[in-house]
Amino acid sequence: MSRTRTPIGRQVESDTVNVGEFRFESGEVITDMQVAYEAYGEFTGENAVLVCHGLTGSQHVAGRGTDSGVSGQASAWWSDIVGPGKAIDTNEYYVVCVNVPGSCYGTSGPASEGPDGEPWGTDFPPVTVGDWTRAQRLLLDHIGIGRLHAVVGGSVGGMNALDWAVQYPDDLDRLVVVASAARLDPQCLGLDAIARRAITTDPNWNGGDYYGEDNPNPEQGLGLARQIGHLMYLSKDSMDRKFGRRSAGRGGRGDAYPADPAAMFFPYREVESYLDYQAEKFADRFDANSYLYLTRAMDDYDLAEGYESDAAALSAFEGEALLLSFTGDWHFTTEQSESVAEAFRSVDVPVAHHVVESDHGHDAFLVEPEKVGPPLDAFLIAGVEGRAVTDTASDGGEPDSETDFAPVHSSLFSR
Amino acid sequence: MSRTRTPIGRQVESDTVNVGEFRFESGEVITDMQVAYEAYGEFTGENAVLVCHGLTGSQHVAGRGTDSGVSGQASAWWSDIVGPGKAIDTNEYYVVCVNVPGSCYGTSGPASEGPDGEPWGTDFPPVTVGDWTRAQRLLLDHIGIGRLHAVVGGSVGGMNALDWAVQYPDDLDRLVVVASAARLDPQCLGLDAIARRAITTDPNWNGGDYYGEDNPNPEQGLGLARQIGHLMYLSKDSMDRKFGRRSAGRGGRGDAYPADPAAMFFPYREVESYLDYQAEKFADRFDANSYLYLTRAMDDYDLAEGYESDAAALSAFEGEALLLSFTGDWHFTTEQSESVAEAFRSVDVPVAHHVVESDHGHDAFLVEPEKVGPPLDAFLIAGVEGRAVTDTASDGGEPDSETDFAPVHSSLFSR
């Protein structure tokens, strides 16, 4: 390869762009939508890859050791996967990651400045995953990217990626949906609803108006919301391994949350210590109103909305799709990914559903790069025929007794 | 049978007994421990069955249509299982159910009157499952019951029942542990810890001092704790069936929890409506400090505490044991019950682990009486040889490939 390789530090673009007037799915309009993004690598015209971040992630997807200026995100969220020589190789691809509307890392959201010079707060329009996709499209237009080689997203970022195949089916060749689903199940909807109530019942939330210097942030409520979220990302097995029932020692008890005197008779366990630490760390880096807005966008997302079925929604997509799921993930289950795979198969989109054996829970897509990288890398290069890519329809991964006798799905790969 | 059968209404005893000085496991002592109980049926000397209630349950286990005077418990919690002609037949057995220390249905706890005439609040001593067992023993002594035919308990009541076999192994012939475990796993410990933080961060909790007439109760925090608990009792499948992603209609939105204006763009879903309703109902009937105390007792319980292993803890028990578990239960899993069964087997206690196929989650033990009743009934009559009782060691219910070829456990049933 003749392309000049430059050190990662010199390849990072980090900017915030005013894409002008933006009409939200709700019908509300803001006049100056700011969109923050980072980009890595060199654009050759055909090598752009958009990476969609998860719920509380940011545009700072890669670039270990570089200071992005993104609060609390000094360590990029997917630097094990995105970077020079990594699965999404920034020596090969021009990788763009965009902070979504409603978030708090530079793109317009509740904490950013409204028309009156004060933070929007809860006057910011409601945000949907569809709004994220359209803001990303505007940003890409602005920086001169038309067609994308691929859109890749994990968790709710995977919903965002699916939405690309629905809203802009001609704009991408390949779609990678990691640990995601066509819609949340009611168990997760319930947990998200409880998390939001933990925020809105914190008196410091104050109806969403807490941005003044004299006002304390709703740290306890936001921390509780994060603790609920964290448990959704872990599995029983990973928690057994990480914490067991071990005591963190009485000295370890933090002061983030009040307790009654009787609590002192019982151990302060490692699992509590971990959750309390995560709560404090998160409250320092994330905006409580953004957490309300983004969880609602996630809860609201439904691939089939406006269509007769998931398959109908995906039928205009002419590229190839990879679904990655993890056996220990109860937030976004392998069954949910299989259901999306079936939808693709039914409309003759070449798809592979690669199931990763893991007991890490939803976190697996972040913490097991050695299992995520190879199929992702291979798919970006060679599509569903990539060497490290497996598929449930051909490997018997689905507990479908029919497949033992008749490979009923294999013909669906021919278009 | 010649015994006179009297209508259930005339068979119910309901009383609160002062069992005198009580020393808690913590070492703290209170001088007048009140213990509230109900009893059903006629005591013949050998037919007493103690039923242990779950976390927020009460002594009002049976007696549909009778007014127990137990707040919010007009409908008894296990009347499908306990009553005349039911699996625990009050025409045959003298059934006793005792409200546990730390609770709020008549037995001493944080909300009951302390030595100064005011509610104890958080000055009430810390409570353990071991304290529950000893208080039950004192109550039974008081009402003239020595040896028990059986102790039966569900959920944390199953831990309470297990503790009977450890503390008073000679006092019971049969032990029934329903949807329970030797100890909570760290996922449940984490969820319980979050639930407690939701209570203690409610400003109305006020350090546990909210009993005065002018003080509002910490209803929002207690409601959130209950919502977390409720999700632990349900399964993904049961929630799919109950709620799906259906909207409850905008008119259905309650006012128990504040929301920001952007929320109005999105549906108020049935799952949220259900959780909000459960929160309000629960806050009306339960004491927030009791919720702190009782979840801590549950979290703290460890069958092996003070012993080398679960098996060593159970080795003095000379009766028979039945474990009932439910395939859809992720709060107390079938694997956890199997582990307790293995402990019994290893010390040659006749045991059956009867696994119920159910997608109802932890709630199954309450809502599927047609599956719970037959093995329970049969076990109380005939022990592990009861006709409707199955066992994982003999029915291949365990996914252990060895059992396909060698019934390795069957010899353990011979003593």
Side-chain angles (χ1 to χ4, degrees):
Chain A
M1 280 174 288
S2 62
R3 191 183 310 156
T4 311
R5 295 178 187 232
T6 49
I8 178 71
R10 290 164 54 195
Q11 285 180 306
V12 180
E13 295 166 49
S14 179
D15 204 358
T16 302
V17 170
N18 183 341
V19 298
E21 186 178 282
F22 188 84
R23 181 177 298 272
F24 289 84
E25 193 176 326
S26 67
E28 292 186 57
V29 175
I30 68 174
T31 49
D32 293 293
M33 170 70 97
Q34 305 287 331
V35 180
Y37 76 101
E38 288 192 9
Y40 316 80
E42 194 180 333
F43 183 48
T44 62
E46 296 181 336
N47 70 337
V49 173
L50 175 71
V51 176
C52 303
H53 66 72
L55 193 66
T56 68
S58 74
Q59 64 274 34
H60 190 38
V61 60
R64 186 177 281 146
T66 62
D67 180 3
S68 70
V70 176
S71 165
Q73 298 274 301
S75 162
W77 63 269
W78 223 14
S79 57
D80 289 329
I81 293 293
V82 182
K86 302 290 171 68
I88 303 180
D89 189 345
T90 52
N91 290 326
E92 301 293 332
Y93 304 110
Y94 179 68
V95 176
V96 183
C97 187
V98 180
N99 188 220
V100 300
S103 182
C104 52
Y105 292 121
T107 295
S108 296
S112 55
E113 199 175 278
D116 61 357
E118 299 293 317
W120 283 98
T122 56
D123 291 332
F124 195 76
V127 169
T128 65
V129 171
D131 292 327
W132 300 354
T133 308
R134 287 184 301 106
Q136 288 159 337
R137 181 64 273 175
L138 290 173
L139 182 279
L140 293 172
D141 289 345
H142 186 93
I143 64 174
I145 313 287
R147 194 172 169 80
L148 295 157
H149 176 62
V151 177
V152 180
S155 194
V156 69
M159 292 170 157
N160 188 175
L162 278 170
D163 191 51
W164 267 87
V166 177
Q167 285 204 55
Y168 304 109
D170 300 329
D171 286 5
L172 62 158
D173 289 327
R174 290 185 184 151
L175 171 68
V176 182
V177 178
V178 183
S180 192
R183 62 194 63 77
L184 282 195
D185 68 34
Q187 186 183 58
C188 295
L189 292 177
L191 286 164
D192 285 348
I194 297 170
R196 284 192 294 272
R197 283 156 176 69
I199 292 170
T200 61
T201 56
D202 185 326
N204 292 340
W205 179 64
N206 191 32
D209 181 12
Y210 51 81
Y211 295 109
E213 285 206 356
D214 298 336
N215 299 333
N217 287 327
E219 290 183 3
Q220 290 185 325
L222 180 59
L224 285 175
R226 178 61 164 186
Q227 293 186 338
I228 292 169
H230 247 288
L231 287 187
M232 296 169 80
Y233 308 149
L234 304 175
S235 69
K236 281 191 189 288
D237 285 339
S238 66
M239 295 186 74
D240 269 339
R241 208 168 37 234
K242 253 175 158 49
F243 318 115
R245 290 173 50 89
R246 290 185 295 277
S247 170
R250 276 160 214 273
R253 200 181 293 267
D255 55 5
Y257 292 97
D260 56 282
M264 302 308 290
F265 177 66
F266 299 100
Y268 178 68
R269 296 187 192 277
E270 285 189 7
V271 62
E272 290 183 87
S273 170
Y274 174 85
L275 289 173
D276 288 347
Y277 171 74
Q278 294 297 338
E280 290 197 60
K281 212 173 64 166
F282 186 66
D284 283 346
R285 79 164 175 92
F286 211 76
D287 176 59
N289 284 330
S290 283
Y291 202 81
L292 300 178
Y293 275 67
L294 299 187
T295 57
R296 279 215 209 81
M298 175 166 66
D299 291 5
D300 181 62
Y301 180 74
D302 188 335
L303 171 56
E305 192 181 315
Y307 294 87
E308 293 220 332
S309 65
D310 292 348
L314 296 169
S315 61
F317 179 57
E318 300 200 340
E320 302 194 4
L322 172 66
L323 303 163
L324 273 169
S325 71
F326 302 86
T327 54
D329 186 352
W330 61 275
H331 190 344
F332 291 95
T333 66
T334 56
E335 289 77 10
Q336 287 175 310
S337 281
E338 182 61 16
S339 159
V340 177
E342 292 286 353
F344 277 121
R345 287 171 194 142
S346 73
V347 291
D348 292 345
V349 170
V351 63
H353 176 200
H354 183 101
V355 177
V356 175
E357 284 289 330
S358 167
D359 59 9
H360 268 284
H362 186 55
D363 260 358
F365 89 95
L366 297 172
V367 302
E368 301 214 88
E370 70 287 359
K371 294 180 180 172
V372 171
L376 185 41
D377 182 25
F379 177 78
L380 290 180
I381 294 169
V384 297
E385 301 301 328
R387 280 189 58 171
V389 177
T390 68
D391 180 36
T392 50
S394 51
D395 69 5
E398 269 297 286
D400 176 355
S401 61
E402 269 191 309
T403 58
D404 289 342
F405 306 103
V408 287
H409 298 309
S410 60
S411 65
L412 295 177
F413 282 96
S414 55
R415 307 270 322 264
Chain B
M1 281 176 287
S2 62
R3 190 183 308 156
T4 309
R5 296 180 184 231
T6 48
I8 179 70
R10 292 165 55 193
Q11 285 182 305
V12 180
E13 294 168 49
S14 178
D15 203 358
T16 302
V17 170
N18 183 342
V19 298
E21 185 177 284
F22 187 85
R23 181 176 299 271
F24 289 84
E25 193 176 328
S26 68
E28 292 186 57
V29 174
I30 68 174
T31 48
D32 293 294
M33 169 70 96
Q34 306 287 331
V35 180
Y37 76 101
E38 289 191 10
Y40 315 79
E42 195 180 332
F43 183 50
T44 62
E46 295 182 334
N47 70 336
V49 173
L50 176 70
V51 176
C52 303
H53 67 72
L55 192 67
T56 67
S58 74
Q59 64 274 32
H60 189 37
V61 61
R64 185 176 283 147
T66 62
D67 180 5
S68 71
V70 175
S71 164
Q73 298 272 301
S75 162
W77 63 268
W78 223 15
S79 58
D80 289 328
I81 294 293
V82 182
K86 300 291 170 70
I88 304 179
D89 188 345
T90 51
N91 291 327
E92 301 292 333
Y93 304 110
Y94 179 68
V95 176
V96 183
C97 187
V98 179
N99 188 220
V100 300
S103 183
C104 52
Y105 292 121
T107 294
S108 296
S112 54
E113 199 174 276
D116 60 358
E118 299 292 317
W120 282 98
T122 56
D123 290 334
F124 195 77
V127 169
T128 65
V129 171
D131 293 327
W132 301 352
T133 308
R134 288 185 300 105
Q136 288 159 337
R137 180 65 273 173
L138 289 173
L139 182 279
L140 292 172
D141 290 345
H142 186 93
I143 63 173
I145 313 286
R147 194 173 169 80
L148 294 157
H149 175 63
V151 176
V152 180
S155 193
V156 69
M159 293 171 157
N160 188 175
L162 278 170
D163 191 52
W164 267 88
V166 177
Q167 285 205 55
Y168 304 109
D170 300 328
D171 286 5
L172 61 158
D173 290 326
R174 292 188 182 148
L175 171 67
V176 183
V177 178
V178 183
S180 192
R183 62 195 62 78
L184 281 195
D185 68 34
Q187 184 183 59
C188 295
L189 292 176
L191 286 164
D192 284 349
I194 297 170
R196 284 191 294 273
R197 284 155 176 70
I199 292 170
T200 61
T201 55
D202 185 326
N204 292 340
W205 179 64
N206 190 31
D209 181 12
Y210 52 81
Y211 296 108
E213 285 204 359
D214 298 335
N215 298 334
N217 286 326
E219 290 184 2
Q220 289 186 326
L222 180 58
L224 285 175
R226 178 59 164 186
Q227 293 187 337
I228 292 170
H230 248 288
L231 287 187
M232 297 169 79
Y233 308 148
L234 303 176
S235 69
K236 281 191 190 287
D237 285 338
S238 65
M239 295 186 74
D240 269 337
R241 208 169 35 235
K242 254 176 164 26
F243 317 115
R245 291 173 49 89
R246 289 185 295 278
S247 170
R250 278 160 212 273
R253 200 180 293 268
D255 55 3
Y257 291 98
D260 56 282
M264 302 309 289
F265 177 66
F266 299 100
Y268 178 68
R269 296 186 193 277
E270 286 189 6
V271 61
E272 289 183 87
S273 170
Y274 174 84
L275 290 172
D276 288 347
Y277 172 74
Q278 295 297 338
E280 289 196 61
K281 210 173 65 165
F282 186 65
D284 283 345
R285 79 164 175 92
F286 211 76
D287 176 59
N289 283 331
S290 282
Y291 202 82
L292 301 177
Y293 275 67
L294 299 187
T295 57
R296 278 214 210 80
M298 175 167 66
D299 291 4
D300 181 63
Y301 180 74
D302 188 336
L303 170 57
E305 193 182 314
Y307 294 87
E308 294 219 333
S309 64
D310 292 348
L314 297 169
S315 62
F317 179 58
E318 301 199 339
E320 303 195 2
L322 171 66
L323 302 162
L324 273 169
S325 71
F326 301 87
T327 53
D329 186 352
W330 62 273
H331 191 344
F332 291 96
T333 66
T334 56
E335 290 77 10
Q336 286 175 310
S337 280
E338 182 61 18
S339 160
V340 177
E342 291 286 352
F344 276 121
R345 286 170 193 144
S346 73
V347 291
D348 292 344
V349 171
V351 63
H353 176 200
H354 182 101
V355 177
V356 175
E357 285 289 331
S358 166
D359 59 8
H360 268 284
H362 186 56
D363 260 358
F365 88 96
L366 297 172
V367 301
E368 300 214 88
E370 71 286 0
K371 294 180 179 173
V372 171
L376 185 41
D377 180 27
F379 177 79
L380 289 180
I381 294 169
V384 296
E385 301 301 328
R387 280 188 57 171
V389 176
T390 68
D391 180 37
T392 50
S394 50
D395 69 3
E398 269 296 286
D400 177 355
S401 60
E402 270 190 308
T403 58
D404 290 342
F405 307 103
V408 288
H409 298 308
S410 60
S411 65
L412 295 177
F413 283 95
S414 56
R415 309 257 339 251

